[in-house]
């Protein structure tokens, strides 16, 4: 009984690490630019495919992680400057922008389907004997996933709290117009936001496929609901909130999977989403949220 | 010639089904401003219920297909149950997703609901036979009418069009009633609409459920025609086709919906069949979706109000007919009655 609980909590932490990396990127992007980016899942998949291509050409998986992050950063910056800003300049508000990202997500997903020939590719790296620690048995890959999540979290918090750029980011998230009036170069900050959130997104894509050991065109899109739910539950713009929400969702999903069968674990994700809606009126109420995009 | 006749009659059925969807989404989004990105699950539940209640009782987990609600009901009953199922699911989803929140959150939530529903139905084989779906759904009255296959095709197409026309008349009447004006008031000025005493939450739920009933019916009509339904038929992208259609055509008016449904699902998705196949099998299918996404984005950029935009409505000069008042009448008249 206790053993099942302990091991499902451990698996939950693994899943939470993957969700958290993606949700941190999502929440930074969303908190700053106010773009609810539904093409985020597609960019995750791009990161995953880049890492897959790299490792299948004999490049180490560690470099694959870095390459996935770089790809995510570049793609997100290009989309941010080349697509989202164009719509924002033409007067799109948050809702119209979400619809744009929905179309963009479709374009990315099905382009990837066309390129990948609708196949699912095996991605097995860093395999070795599992590590036992009491009732908890984890593969080294899973331990690495947790470690990456923890390192990213600490690094992101340090960046936001200790550097000047972090200060500018927080200032802009609080009030973009005021930040500009105070002399913060908001254009640079936005560019940095696209790069940072894109890198986290690409990295999350690679970590996700390292964990599930396969990659297909819809990998990121199917994972996106958990990411968005974590970002909303944690509060837009708050990496700490995103991590806590990811831990809650990851552990609950895995405990349900362990006790109620894997069928219901998706339903549990659904349940958490309902709880998100009912429990955080402050996050989802119309009144406080602005309708304007900060691009 | 008969192959063409067969094909055209199929297109007519698809057109009728897509037009029902277009009418439903136009009522929800065009008139009421409620974005139903989960539209396809209401169509899907209608299709599943219509299929299961026409297929006969499920013969258990060991058999060829396994499903709930198995029954062998005579023709119009499965369709009516499909509408009911669509409405009931809409009510459930609507109650928690239509709370007052940012509209982008709302859209994202409904999209997530679609993805989750897809995962649950695919994974839970006991519901509607998992990823294999239901097949062998009998065509309604196929033997009773005593028609040849081709004549049956056209009869079914005509029936679908008649049903669609009936729904259109009902929805048009609704959208021009006091209730329809209240919907537009809510869409354009939510706070003002609240101030004159409209209950936004109830209005939203009403329009959501009515749209859901139409969605369920359209799913029922579709599944009784094609005879099979599986998760492959209702990916999240499918809602998109209809959304693109009404965006391209123009929101808030019915000419726009008809034009959009002619252009996007019919011409746009059928035309590639006549183009030479490029690349490996399946490439064209992927590219179709890419193009749909691009059309959607281009439309939002260049013609955000569609090819045939909603006319700017003005008050009818003939003030004796207050019912004809549309557009921006005095707030009291939005309701079609005087306020206390």
């Amino acid at each position: 009984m206790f053993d099942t609980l302990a091991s499902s909590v451990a698996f939950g932490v693994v899943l939470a690490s993957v969700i958290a990396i993606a949700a941190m990127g999502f929440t930074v992007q969303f908190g700053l630019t106010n773009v609810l980016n539904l093409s985020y899942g597609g960019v995750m998949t791009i990161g995953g495919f880049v890492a897959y291509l790299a490792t299948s050409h004999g490049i180490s998986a560690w470099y694959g992680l870095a390459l996935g992050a770089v790809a995510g950063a570049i793609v997100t910056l290009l989309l941010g400057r080349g697509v989202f800003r164009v719509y924002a300049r033409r007067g799109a508000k948050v809702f119209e922008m979400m619809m744009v990202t929905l179309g963009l997500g479709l374009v990315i997903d099905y382009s990837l389907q066309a390129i990948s020939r609708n196949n699912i590719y095996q991605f097995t790296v860093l395999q070795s004997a599992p590590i036992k620690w009491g009732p908890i048995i984890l593969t080294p890959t899973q331990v690495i996933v947790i470690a990456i999540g923890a390192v990213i979290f600490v690094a992101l918090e340090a960046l936001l709290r200790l550097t000047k750029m972090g200060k500018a980011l927080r200032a802009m998230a609080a009030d973009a117009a005021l930040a500009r009036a105070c002399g913060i170069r908001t254009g640079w900050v936005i560019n940095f936001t696209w790069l940072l959130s894109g890198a986290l997104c690409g990295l999350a894509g690679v970590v996700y496929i390292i964990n599930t050991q396969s990659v297909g065109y819809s990998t990121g899109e199917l994972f996106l609901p958990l990411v968005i739910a974590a970002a909303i539950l944690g509060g837009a713009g708050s990496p700490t909130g995103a991590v806590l929400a990811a831990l809650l969702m990851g552990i609950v999903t895995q405990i349900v999977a362990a006790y109620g069968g894997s069928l219901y674990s998706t339903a549990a994700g659904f349940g958490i989403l309902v709880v998100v809606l009912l429990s955080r009126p402050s996050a989802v109420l119309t009144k406080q949220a602005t309708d304007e995009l900060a691009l | 010639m008969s192959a063409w006749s067969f094909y055209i009659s199929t297109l007519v059925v698809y057109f009728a089904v897509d037009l029902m969807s277009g009418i439903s989404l136009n009522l929800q989004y065009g008139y009421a401003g409620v974005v139903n990105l989960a539209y396809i699950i209401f169509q899907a539940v209608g299709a599943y219920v219509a299929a299961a209640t026409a297929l006969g009782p499920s013969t258990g987990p060991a058999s060829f297909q396994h499903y709930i609600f198995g029954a062998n009901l005579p023709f119009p009953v499965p369709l009516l149950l499909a509408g009911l199922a669509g409405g009931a699911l809409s009510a459930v989803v609507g109650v928690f997703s239509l709370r007052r929140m940012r509209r982008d959150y709302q859209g994202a939530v409904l999209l997530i609901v679609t993805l989750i529903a897809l995962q649950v139905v695919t994974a839970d084989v006991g519901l509607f036979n998992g990823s294999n779906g239901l097949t062998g759904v009998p065509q309604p009255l196929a033997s009773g009418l005593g028609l040849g296959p081709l004549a049956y095709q056209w009869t079914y197409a005509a029936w679908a069009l008649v049903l669609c026309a009936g729904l259109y008349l009902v929805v048009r009447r609704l959208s021009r009633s006091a209730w329809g004006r209240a919907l537009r008031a809510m869409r354009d000025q939510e706070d003002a609409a609240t101030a004159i005493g409209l209950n936004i939450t109830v209005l939203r739920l009403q329009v959501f459920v009515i749209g859901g009933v139409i969605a369920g019916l359209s799913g029922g009509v579709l599944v009784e025609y094609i005879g099979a339904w599986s998760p492959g038929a209702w990916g999240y992208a499918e809602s998109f086709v209809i959304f693109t259609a009404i965006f391209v055509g123009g929101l808030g008016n019915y000419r726009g919906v008809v034009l959009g449904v002619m252009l996007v699902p019919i011409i746009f998705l059928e035309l590639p069949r006549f183009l030479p196949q490029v690349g490996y099998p399946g490439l064209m299918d992927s590219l179709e979706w890419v193009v749909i996404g691009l059309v959607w984005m281009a439309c939002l950029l260049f013609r955000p109000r569609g090819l045939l935009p909603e006319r700017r409505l003005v008050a009818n000069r003939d003030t004796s007919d207050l019912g004809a008042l549309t557009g921006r009448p005095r707030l009291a008249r939005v309701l079609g009655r005087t306020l206390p």
Side-chain angles (χ1 to χ4, degrees), chain B residues 4-338:
Chain B
W4 272 103
S5 180
F6 202 84
Y7 178 65
I8 304 274
S9 61
T10 306
L11 281 192
V12 172
V13 176
Y14 285 172
F15 174 71
V17 169
D18 288 339
L19 197 53
M20 284 184 219
S21 307
I23 289 168
S24 167
L25 279 178
N26 186 46
L27 179 71
Q28 291 181 336
Y29 185 65
Y31 282 99
V34 174
V35 56
N36 185 0
L37 290 179
Y39 177 80
I40 201 71
I41 68 170
F42 308 120
Q43 189 175 50
V45 77
Y48 276 129
V49 167
T53 51
L55 268 171
S58 171
T59 40
S63 64
F64 162 63
Q65 50 186 358
H66 179 50
Y67 45 85
I68 54 172
F69 301 134
N72 196 353
L73 300 172
F75 161 56
V77 182
L79 201 54
L80 295 176
L81 290 175
L84 276 181
L89 187 64
S90 297
V92 174
V93 173
V95 160
F96 73 85
S97 67
L98 293 179
R99 295 153 59 85
R100 280 178 74 102
M101 62 169 110
R102 278 173 50 163
R103 282 169 79 212
D104 56 340
Y105 274 39
Q106 199 160 50
V109 164
L110 286 167
L111 198 66
I112 290 171
V113 168
T114 312
L115 292 173
I116 290 166
L118 202 59
Q119 282 176 12
V120 169
V121 174
T122 309
D124 195 341
V125 182
L127 271 179
F128 292 112
N129 208 30
S131 59
N132 290 328
L134 303 178
T135 180
V137 182
Q139 292 198 309
L141 304 177
S143 53
L145 290 174
L147 297 168
L150 199 57
Y152 183 82
Q153 284 272 329
W154 281 104
T155 314
Y156 197 90
W159 149 243
L161 278 181
V162 167
L163 190 66
C164 183
L167 285 172
Y168 161 69
L169 291 176
V170 171
V171 170
R172 193 183 64 164
R173 193 173 170 81
L174 282 175
S175 64
R176 291 184 180 175
S177 66
W179 183 74
R181 288 195 294 281
L183 290 185
R184 274 177 300 192
M186 171 174 83
R187 176 195 67 184
D188 292 337
Q189 285 291 334
E190 196 178 304
D191 291 336
T194 314
I196 59 168
L198 297 175
N199 189 335
I200 298 293
T201 313
V202 169
L203 272 177
R204 280 208 179 127
L205 198 58
Q206 283 170 340
V207 82
F208 208 69
V209 170
I210 291 173
V213 170
I214 302 175
L217 282 175
S218 73
V221 171
L222 186 59
V223 80
E224 286 183 343
Y225 179 73
I226 56 179
W229 194 253
S230 71
W234 52 287
Y236 79 98
E238 301 282 339
S239 298
F240 235 62
V241 177
I242 308 297
F243 254 106
T244 313
I246 62 169
F247 263 83
V248 169
L251 293 160
N253 70 87
Y254 294 101
R255 294 169 309 134
V257 174
V258 175
L259 177 73
V261 171
M262 292 278 254
L263 284 177
V264 179
I266 300 298
I267 295 186
F268 213 64
L269 288 184
E270 290 301 321
L271 201 61
R273 286 175 204 274
F274 300 101
L275 298 177
Q277 282 290 324
V278 193
Y280 61 90
L283 179 64
M284 294 287 277
D285 293 335
S286 310
L287 293 181
E288 252 173 35
W289 287 108
V290 174
V291 175
I292 286 273
L294 289 173
V295 168
W296 162 277
M297 289 175 69
C299 185
L300 284 171
L301 187 60
F302 297 114
R303 293 215 54 120
R305 294 167 57 80
L307 293 174
L308 298 174
E310 183 179 8
R311 285 191 192 140
R312 188 179 161 76
L313 301 165
V314 288
N316 195 328
R317 292 238 169 79
D318 178 13
T319 46
S320 63
D321 179 14
L322 284 182
L325 269 179
T326 42
R328 288 191 172 177
R330 299 222 313 271
L331 283 177
R333 286 179 184 162
V334 168
L335 290 164
R337 59 185 158 84
T338 47

Side-chain angles (χ1 to χ4, degrees), chain A residues 148-173:
Chain A
I148 293 173
V151 167
I152 294 287
F153 172 58
V154 173
L156 185 62
E157 278 295 321
L159 174 83
L160 288 175
R161 307 254 162 246
L162 306 178
T163 66
K164 218 167 174 182
M165 184 50 103
K167 209 171 183 177
L169 282 166
R170 285 184 292 134
M172 256 201 87

Side-chain angles (χ1 to χ4, degrees), chain A residues 32 81 164-165 167-169 171-172 175-193 294-295:
Chain A
L32 246 101
R81 304 305 283 185
K164 218 167 174 182
M165 184 50 103
K167 209 171 183 177
L169 282 166
M172 256 201 87
D175 190 331
L178 190 59
R180 186 192 293 270
C182 292
I184 292 172
R185 300 175 76 172
T186 48
W188 284 99
V189 178
I190 293 290
N191 282 350
F192 183 77
T193 307
L295 289 184

